[in-house]
Amino acid sequence: MGRKKKWVETHRPSIERLYEDVGKNAYKTFLVDELPDGLVAAGQAEKVSSVVVMTSGSVDESRDWMVVLPLRVDTSGSHDAASPRRFVHDKDPMTFYLTPQGQPGVSGSISFHSNYSGRTEDVPVPGAPTTLPDAVAAIRSRFVPTSGSFSVADASLQNALQHGVKLFRAMEAERDEAGIPPFEDE
């Protein structure tokens, strides 16, 4: 599949709340229904087992970066009836930045079907589900919230944040004087 990138508009209070919940240079996992409404599109939310929110600062830019990373379940490998179905997590980062005062700067960016280490990884699924909805439900049923310092997060998650930041910077550099889309009003 091709790569796609775009600006995402969301409500400023949603980003502020997540930043408060997660903290600086940290990560935290959530179930989709624990997130502010509208952050993950309804059609996508049905395929998401959980969401990781990560933050990491950049002293040079005076920005704290935040990535919202839905772990979208998909199938992979052979679709042969004789082969067991394999499920994967696909990670498409939504990236935002916050000012030193902890305020969201502008709307964020999102990239789909990117190419970075750990973007797609096998996910163990309890039981033997054969459909995507059953696999999502099985993974959600075993959800255990985790949190910690950015420095101890799984490398694939760190890579997602770094990729999202790199893409955001590139998109920011490509913008004309119209700038990055502002946040929607509540």
Side-chain angles (χ1 to χ4, degrees):
M1 293 194 151
R3 294 180 192 163
K4 178 181 167 186
K5 59 186 179 181
K6 69 178 188 172
W7 294 110
V8 291
E9 296 178 28
T10 191
H11 298 287
R12 184 182 306 261
S14 299
I15 302 307
E16 290 172 340
R17 187 190 121 202
L18 283 176
Y19 187 69
E20 276 183 33
D21 285 352
V22 176
K24 289 182 172 241
N25 297 313
Y27 76 95
K28 187 173 181 178
T29 58
F30 299 87
L31 288 171
V32 174
D33 61 1
E34 296 172 331
L35 295 176
D37 289 339
L39 197 58
V40 177
Q44 182 185 26
E46 296 170 1
K47 301 173 187 173
V48 172
S49 64
S50 61
V51 178
V52 180
V53 178
M54 298 184 73
T55 62
S56 181
S58 171
V59 175
D60 295 342
E61 297 172 301
S62 295
R63 292 179 175 179
D64 279 345
W65 291 97
M66 182 171 74
V67 68
V68 177
L69 193 62
L71 302 180
R72 184 175 45 84
V73 180
D74 203 351
T75 58
S76 182
S78 173
H79 296 283
D80 180 336
S83 300
R85 217 152 196 201
R86 285 184 39 233
F87 294 95
V88 297
H89 270 148
D90 281 339
K91 303 174 191 113
D92 297 322
M94 288 186 285
T95 308
F96 302 88
Y97 79 81
L98 296 98
T99 66
Q101 295 76 32
Q103 300 297 309
V106 292
S107 290
S109 67
I110 187 168
S111 60
F112 302 98
H113 311 293
S114 298
N115 186 17
Y116 62 87
S117 180
R119 192 241 170 221
T120 300
E121 295 183 310
D122 285 338
V123 60
V125 182
T130 58
T131 68
L132 195 56
D134 289 344
V136 172
I139 296 167
R140 285 181 183 171
S141 74
R142 299 272 174 100
F143 175 77
V144 176
T146 58
S147 62
S149 167
F150 175 82
S151 63
V152 299
D154 180 85
S156 71
L157 301 176
Q158 291 179 9
N159 291 342
L161 184 137
Q162 291 164 354
H163 174 78
V165 168
K166 181 179 176 182
L167 177 76
F168 187 103
R169 287 178 183 143
M171 289 173 64
E172 188 175 34
E174 293 170 0
R175 290 295 293 189
D176 58 19
E177 60 240 17
I180 299 169
F183 279 99
E184 296 175 10
D185 292 331
E186 283 188 77

